[in-house]
Amino acid sequence: MKRVDDFRLRLGKRELVPIVVGGMGVDISTATLALEAARLGGIGHLSDAMVKTVSDRRYETNFVSGKLKRYKLNVASSDKSTVMFDLDRLADATRNHLGGAMERKRGDGLIFVNCMEKLTMNAPRETLRVRLSSALDAGIDGITLSAGLHLGSFGLIAEHPRFRDAKLGIIVSSLRALQLFLRKNARLGRLPDYVIVEGPLAGGHLGFGIDDWKTHDLRTIVTEILQYLHAENLDIPLIPAGGIFTGSDAVSYLEGGAAAVQVATRFTATRECGLPDKIKQEYFKANEDDIEVNMISPTGYPMRMLKSSPAIGSGTRPNCEAYGYLLDSSGNCGYITAYNREVAAHPGAKKVSVMDKTCLCTAMRNFDCWTCGHNTYRLKDTTRRLTDGTYQLLTAEHVFHDYQFSVDQKIALPA
C-alpha cells in the first residue's frame, strides 16, 4: 500500500511533499499554520481576505480604524459608493502580512497566498492589481487565484518583474472554467504553474450552483480535466481539493494522476489554526446534519458552514466604512440590500434579523461565520475526548504527517 510520501509534487525545479494546506480567511490559515506546512516540505496557504484586519491583529497597525475615521460621517448612510480603499495602505497591509510570514519561513516547502476575485472592494480591478502586485513585492512563493474566473488577473501583473518567477495557479470547479482561463490568457504566453480543482464537498464558497452542487463529483471533474490536459499536451500539475480526509483518500488521487492534494478541514482543528479554541470545539462536536450549504454570502456563491453559525440571521448594521471588502464598483453589496429591506419593513425596530444574507466582513472578522468542509463531522474521530468533555487539539505537524505517512484509511490518534 502506497503512502502520500511515496509521491512528489514537481513545480519547476522544486520537489515537494504533495500536500497543500488550503488558504482559509480571515486569518484562519494563520502564518504559523502556513509556516508549519512549508517547514514540513509541503505548501502552506495564507489568505489575503480582509488583509487590513489581519495586519492590525498581528502587527498592531491601525489600518481599519484609520479607514473608519476617514469615513465616519458616512456610517449612517445607506449609500456606500464613496467608501474607497486607500491603495497605498492596502499595499502596506499586504506586505506586512505576507512579507512577515516570508521572513520567518524555514524548511524546503513553499508559502502561497489565496487571492479571491470576489473581494471587489468598490474598485475591483484596481484593488486586485494592488493585492497581487504587493504579494509579489512581499516575496510570496506563489499566488492561488480563487473565487472567480480571474480572466484578467494575469494581465494585471504581466509587467511585474516576478510575473514569470513566482508560481501562479488558479482554483476551478469545472473543465469549462479552466478552458476559459487558458483561452483568455493565451496571448500572455504564461500558463498557470498548477491548477487546483475544488469539488462540491469543500468548505466555504463553492463553485457550483445551490441547486446542482450535489450532482457533481470531484473525481469525475479531475478525470475530465486530466484527460483534457493530456490531449492538449499541457504539462500543468493538477491538485484536487474538497473531501480528501485521509492519507488513503489522497493516495487514490495521486495514483490516478494528480500531482498533489489540497486539504484544509482537518487543519481547522489544530493548535496553529486561527479559529478561537471554543469554536474548534464546535467543529469537533458537529454531526453531519449540523452542516448546510446556503446562499447567505453576498458574493452570490453557495457556502458550506455549521448551521449554528452566529452569522446566520444576524442583522448586523453594514460596517463598510471600516471594512467594505465586498462592495462592487457601484458601492453595492447583497447584504446592504437585504439589510435595508428589513429595516424598511420594521420601522422603529432596534434590531432586525436578515436571514437570506449576512454581513460577511463583520462575521468573518468576528469568527461568527463557521465555514467548514463536508467532512467536518468526522473530526471527532481524529482525536481523543478529554475528561472535561472537550476534544484534544492536534498540532499541524501531527495532521500533516498523518496525511503523509498513513495507510489503509487509518487515522493516527494523538498520544
Side-chain angles (χ1 to χ4, degrees):
M1 175 68 71
K2 287 190 174 181
R3 307 175 301 174
V4 168
D5 196 53
D6 294 322
F7 301 85
R8 284 296 178 268
L9 166 62
R10 291 174 175 81
L11 288 179
K13 297 179 180 179
R14 304 292 294 266
E15 285 197 2
L16 303 146
V17 177
I19 298 172
V20 180
V21 180
M24 300 170 281
V26 171
D27 207 26
I28 296 174
S29 286
T30 59
T32 304
L33 178 55
L35 287 164
E36 274 294 272
R39 181 183 69 82
L40 295 167
I43 296 174
H45 267 96
L46 299 169
S47 168
D48 76 342
M50 297 181 66
V51 68
K52 289 188 171 185
T53 296
V54 178
S55 177
D56 287 354
R57 185 179 290 159
R58 298 294 176 180
Y59 294 96
E60 299 183 356
T61 50
N62 62 351
F63 293 119
V64 173
S65 61
K67 182 168 180 276
L68 177 59
K69 182 178 180 179
R70 179 180 179 185
Y71 292 108
K72 64 180 181 180
L73 296 180
N74 197 70
V75 167
S77 173
S78 61
D79 180 3
K80 307 299 183 182
S81 60
T82 62
V83 180
M84 308 295 291
F85 282 81
D86 182 314
L87 298 184
D88 289 336
R89 291 177 70 78
L90 176 61
D92 288 343
T94 303
R95 287 191 287 261
N96 274 351
H97 181 39
L98 306 186
M102 294 305 296
E103 290 174 1
R104 296 159 53 198
K105 194 181 83 165
R106 302 291 183 271
D108 297 326
L110 302 175
I111 296 181
F112 291 175
V113 61
N114 182 291
C115 186
M116 296 172 59
E117 188 175 35
K118 280 292 185 177
L119 292 180
T120 43
M121 301 168 68
N122 210 350
R125 184 179 177 84
E126 294 81 359
T127 53
L128 182 57
R129 186 198 303 273
V130 168
R131 289 157 56 208
L132 294 171
S133 297
S134 300
L136 295 175
D137 292 342
I140 201 73
D141 291 318
I143 300 175
T144 298
L145 305 173
S146 69
L149 293 174
H150 284 279
L151 300 183
S153 296
F154 270 19
L156 295 177
I157 51 174
E159 301 303 317
H160 195 284
R162 295 195 63 216
F163 178 59
R164 299 184 187 278
D165 167 51
K167 303 303 179 188
L168 304 178
I170 185 168
I171 295 179
V172 300
S173 293
S174 69
L175 172 59
R176 181 176 178 273
L178 176 60
Q179 290 172 325
L180 285 171
F181 179 83
L182 294 176
R183 191 178 306 127
K184 179 67 175 180
N185 289 284
R187 62 181 180 80
L188 296 175
R190 172 63 159 97
L191 291 171
D193 295 291
Y194 57 96
V195 173
I196 296 173
V197 183
E198 193 169 84
L201 301 185
H205 289 106
L206 303 179
F208 303 92
I210 189 65
D211 297 321
D212 69 353
W213 66 267
K214 293 181 181 179
T215 67
H216 295 275
D217 172 71
L218 175 61
R219 202 172 297 274
T220 300
I221 302 169
V222 168
T223 299
E224 186 179 24
I225 294 179
L226 281 171
Q227 291 173 346
Y228 167 78
L229 294 176
H230 179 73
E232 297 295 322
N233 293 313
L234 294 173
D235 185 18
I236 304 175
L238 202 64
I239 303 172
I244 302 171
F245 199 73
T246 68
S248 297
D249 293 339
V251 167
S252 70
Y253 283 101
L254 296 171
E255 289 183 322
V261 294
Q262 177 167 290
V263 291
T265 293
R266 288 181 61 188
F267 287 92
T268 61
T270 60
R271 297 173 190 168
E272 292 84 357
C273 172
L275 286 170
D277 286 353
K278 65 178 181 180
I279 298 175
K280 294 174 187 177
Q281 293 299 321
E282 295 296 324
Y283 282 45
F284 278 125
K285 292 187 293 184
N287 295 315
E288 188 170 9
D289 59 4
D290 294 324
I291 300 167
E292 70 176 20
V293 176
N294 59 41
M295 289 297 297
I296 70 169
S297 171
T299 65
Y301 284 132
M303 285 185 78
R304 177 174 280 110
M305 64 185 66
L306 294 185
K307 292 178 181 178
S308 53
S309 297
I312 299 175
S314 174
T316 302
R317 185 175 69 178
N319 197 9
C320 305
E321 287 69 31
Y323 308 125
Y325 287 85
L326 294 178
L327 293 174
D328 65 19
S329 57
S330 300
N332 296 315
C333 166
Y335 178 71
I336 295 174
T337 301
Y339 176 82
N340 289 339
R341 179 199 67 219
E342 294 302 320
V343 169
H346 301 86
K350 293 182 178 180
K351 180 81 172 176
V352 296
S353 177
V354 183
M355 294 302 301
D356 54 322
K357 295 296 175 187
T358 191
C359 184
L360 199 58
C361 292
T362 301
M364 293 301 291
R365 184 266 180 196
N366 293 338
F367 298 110
D368 284 341
C369 190
W370 299 344
T371 58
C372 63
H374 171 79
N375 284 318
T376 293
Y377 70 96
R378 297 172 62 187
L379 284 174
K380 61 176 66 67
D381 300 325
T382 69
T383 188
R384 300 182 187 279
R385 195 166 190 179
L386 304 176
T387 56
D388 64 359
T390 64
Y391 291 86
Q392 182 177 345
L393 295 179
L394 310 176
T395 65
E397 181 177 24
H398 176 99
V399 176
F400 191 98
H401 280 161
D402 189 56
Y403 273 111
Q404 187 176 0
F405 299 115
S406 65
V407 294
D408 297 331
Q409 297 287 338
K410 184 179 180 181
I411 292 175
L413 296 178

